[in-house]
Structures are given as structure tokens and as C-alpha cells.
Amino acid sequence: MKKALITGITGQDGSYLAELLLDKGYEVHGVIRRASTFNTSRIDHLYRDPHVNGVKLHLHYGDLTDSVQMVKLLYQLQPEEIYNLGAQSHVRVSFDIPEYTGNVDGLGAQRILEAVREAGLVKKCRYYQASSSEMFGKVQEVPQVETTPFWPRSPYGCAKVYAHWLTVNYRESYHLHASNGILFNHESPRRGETFVTRKITRAATRIKLGLQDSLYLGNLDAQRDWGYAKEYVEMMWLMLQQDQPDDYVVATNETHSVKEFCEESFGLLGLDSAKYIRHDARYERPAEVDLLIGNPAKARRQLGWEPKVRFKELVRIMVEHDFELAKREAQIAKLPEPSRGPFA
């Protein structure tokens, strides 16, 4: 039984990857940050139900800013595979907390890579780094491929470039089996609700049921290459199964604007998005990334991978999921208020 460690296991990608590895018979360990409220909702169906995957999923408290804990954890677990998905992953927020973003997204990768060396795992384990299309930023060619020069336009993008090149450096310097997955935008019903795609599908379904009357967004003209997160984690696993480590673009080679995403989402519900969308400058980035589109030809050629879920189907999957959430929310809103206790 292989043993894998996932940072960021409670996030969108981490939860899908955990499912995939458990289905393949792995023993999966995840790093989670301690919080005053439960933050494991995306993996509760795996972690709490002993009838699903037994006890093959284990969670450990830790943080990418804590190098000592990371070293101790790797000594203890001796994993064959490490997937570094942990990050401050919101691009717009990275402008507000640039130091923290650099510490977690950039130096966090440094801490794990050094922990691999300290724990004596260089020859024993394989490492995956979650790189990002945001590293291309002010794009230098269209579409973007593995050799396209980086020009990041956010603290998030800059931190990811640092982590990306560190991974290459450890691969070349210490012969660590370390690969970068340059994933373009990938969405799902598990996407956080502050990210623009999920913000759109949640708002559209709530507006349809009268729970909300408008949606405030920033730049509607930004164009992105959107894929399905559940498919993209398959590529993470495939990279670590190769004899030689390498870097791969994971994308659909299609681009659509935020406005198109709105039109498709509202259209599925029989609504005209233009009637409900309002502009709010607070959601504009200080430096915008106008166009991202990736060519996954290398992944197709070397790994036999190609995305199956395309733009319209992805939007439909998200809208259908969020419409069910909105219906439950509407039902709750109709319930009478509970009687007030003596301390209300």
C-alpha cells in the first residue's frame, strides 16, 4: 500500500485528490490547519464514515509556515508521494496580504523540499508542486506552454513562480523526483464561494429563487481557460507515476470570458445575466491578467491525458449543484423562526 501526504487536503483539489488516491488503494495523510470551527467539510464523507474507506485517511495538524512540524511529519510518515496543494490561493486577496501569501505559497514549498532532504527521502519519495497559470500573467505567447516565459502580475503569481523554480532546482540539484503541474483555472461545486466562478453560480441560482437580487463583479472581460478540477487531479497523480519527473501544462486549450461564464450560468436558469450584474471596483485587481489559455499537448503526448469536461458542461455541473443548495436555502427561509429562549 502506497502512502501519500497531501497539503491543502481540505481544499477543492485536495479533496478530489484524496478521493482518487483512496480509490487506488493508497493510505492518505493530510495536513490541516487548526481552526476554532470544523474546516473539513469537503472530506467529511471520507474521514468520518468508516464504511467508505476504512481508516486509510489520516489528518495531521500542521502549517506550511512551520518547518519543524513538516520535518517531524515526514520522519514519522515516510511517504512515497507528496502533493503540495496548500496555499493562500485567492489571487485578489494576495494583493491585500502579500507577505503572508509569499510565506505560505513560496517559502512553504521551500520548507517541504528541505524537509524531504532532512528526512532522508530524496531517493524514496516523489514530489508534486501545484504551479499555476497565474505565473504567465502578462502572457508572452498564445497559447501558453511549458516553455512560455513567466510574467506574474500578482503576489500570488510571484510566489508560485518562486515555488515552481525551487522545484526545478531541487530536481536538478538533488535528483529528487519533483514535478510541476501548471494548472490553468479549474472549477467544481467544491470551489470556494469567494472565487468568481462559484460566486456566479451561487448568485444565479439564488436570484432564480428570489433569495438575492443582484451580483457584484469586477472585470467581466478577463478571459480564462476553465477546466474541471476532478479531472485535473488525475494529472497530478499521473505525473508522479512517470519514470522521469517533468513539468506539464494542464488545460483545455479553450478560453472564455467572465461575462460568458455569467451568460451561460444565468442562461441555464432562463435568466438574462445583464439584468442582474453590477460592477464593483473593489473586485478589480491592481494589475489584471487579461488572457490565459493553455496548450496541454505535452500532457496528451507523454501522459495520454486529455480533458473530457468542457466549458458548457462544467458550468452546468456547477449550476445544478448550486441550484440544489439554493432550494434548500429557500426551504429554510420559509420555516417559522424558533422560539426565543430566556437569553435571546
Side-chain angles (χ1 to χ4, degrees):
M1 182 186 296
K2 280 188 177 180
K3 188 183 297 182
L5 176 66
I6 304 172
T7 67
I9 194 171
T10 59
Q12 169 188 250
D13 294 5
S15 65
Y16 281 125
L17 179 60
E19 285 181 347
L20 177 71
L21 296 180
L22 288 168
D23 286 343
K24 292 182 178 296
Y26 279 65
E27 179 182 314
V28 177
H29 294 259
V31 178
I32 63 170
R33 288 173 294 179
R34 193 270 167 190
S36 58
T37 57
F38 291 112
N39 58 358
T40 58
S41 59
R42 293 185 180 95
I43 57 172
D44 280 348
H45 63 294
L46 300 172
Y47 183 58
R48 291 181 175 175
D49 187 350
H51 301 292
V52 177
N53 285 297
V55 292
K56 291 190 290 184
L57 176 62
H58 309 269
L59 302 182
H60 308 266
Y61 284 120
D63 195 292
L64 290 177
T65 63
D66 187 347
S67 57
V68 173
Q69 169 62 5
M70 194 56 61
V71 171
K72 289 167 61 179
L73 195 57
L74 293 191
Y75 265 122
Q76 172 192 342
L77 298 179
Q78 298 285 302
E80 285 89 359
E81 296 176 5
I82 299 172
Y83 297 86
N84 181 28
L85 312 185
Q88 190 298 102
S89 57
H90 200 291
V91 179
R92 177 61 189 85
V93 172
S94 76
F95 286 97
D96 300 324
I97 49 173
E99 181 180 340
Y100 176 77
T101 301
N103 194 10
V104 173
D105 299 14
L107 288 174
Q110 175 81 79
R111 294 182 183 104
I112 298 176
L113 289 164
E114 270 300 291
V116 168
R117 293 184 62 214
E118 180 65 27
L121 295 176
V122 170
K123 303 297 183 184
K124 300 177 183 178
C125 84
R126 299 182 175 192
Y127 175 82
Y128 171 85
Q129 171 60 33
S131 287
S132 169
S133 60
E134 287 287 333
M135 301 187 304
F136 295 119
K138 189 176 181 180
V139 299
Q140 301 302 292
E141 63 179 342
V142 177
Q144 294 86 59
V145 295
E146 291 79 6
T147 56
T148 302
F150 299 138
W151 193 321
R153 304 202 80 199
S154 66
Y156 171 83
C158 292
K160 283 294 186 178
V161 169
Y162 179 70
H164 178 96
W165 282 117
L166 273 174
T167 302
V168 174
N169 184 254
Y170 274 68
R171 181 169 73 213
E172 296 177 348
S173 301
Y174 305 111
H175 307 293
L176 173 66
H177 193 297
S179 297
N180 286 295
I182 308 174
L183 272 61
F184 280 63
N185 293 65
H186 46 291
E187 317 300 319
S188 76
R190 298 184 190 177
R191 177 56 106 176
E193 293 184 17
T194 61
F195 288 80
V196 67
T197 52
R198 190 78 194 289
K199 186 176 177 181
I200 292 168
T201 56
R202 284 288 282 139
T205 54
R206 296 185 83 251
I207 288 170
K208 177 66 175 179
L209 296 180
L211 298 169
Q212 186 173 328
D213 56 16
S214 55
L215 168 62
Y216 290 87
L217 296 172
N219 181 14
L220 295 180
D221 297 323
Q223 298 179 70
R224 295 293 185 267
D225 184 325
W226 276 303
Y228 187 28
K230 188 173 183 178
E231 288 187 340
Y232 280 28
V233 300
E234 297 172 10
M235 268 293 288
M236 300 176 186
W237 176 78
L238 277 171
M239 290 180 209
L240 298 197
Q241 310 315 306
Q242 306 308 303
D243 292 336
Q244 299 298 322
D246 208 338
D247 306 322
Y248 298 90
V249 160
V250 183
T252 69
N253 204 24
E254 294 181 16
T255 189
H256 299 272
S257 68
V258 174
K259 183 179 180 181
E260 287 180 80
F261 202 104
C262 291
E263 291 171 344
E264 186 67 24
S265 299
F266 280 79
L268 287 170
L269 299 164
L271 300 174
D272 180 0
S273 61
K275 295 180 179 179
Y276 304 99
I277 294 175
R278 309 286 182 268
H279 178 262
D280 190 330
R282 292 177 300 173
Y283 299 122
E284 300 274 1
R285 299 182 188 179
E288 184 57 79
V289 173
D290 298 314
L291 168 66
L292 292 174
I293 178 172
N295 183 354
K298 180 179 177 181
R300 185 185 307 115
R301 183 176 64 253
Q302 295 185 203
L303 305 180
W305 181 90
E306 191 164 4
K308 301 179 184 67
V309 174
R310 297 293 179 166
F311 178 72
K312 288 182 179 293
E313 185 179 356
L314 172 64
V315 177
R316 180 186 58 76
I317 289 170
M318 295 178 67
V319 168
E320 287 181 353
H321 174 273
D322 284 345
F323 192 52
E324 292 303 314
L325 286 185
K327 286 195 291 187
R328 289 200 292 269
E329 189 177 351
Q331 290 172 352
I332 293 172
K334 294 177 182 178
L335 294 176
E337 290 190 19
S339 59
R340 296 182 178 276
F343 301 105

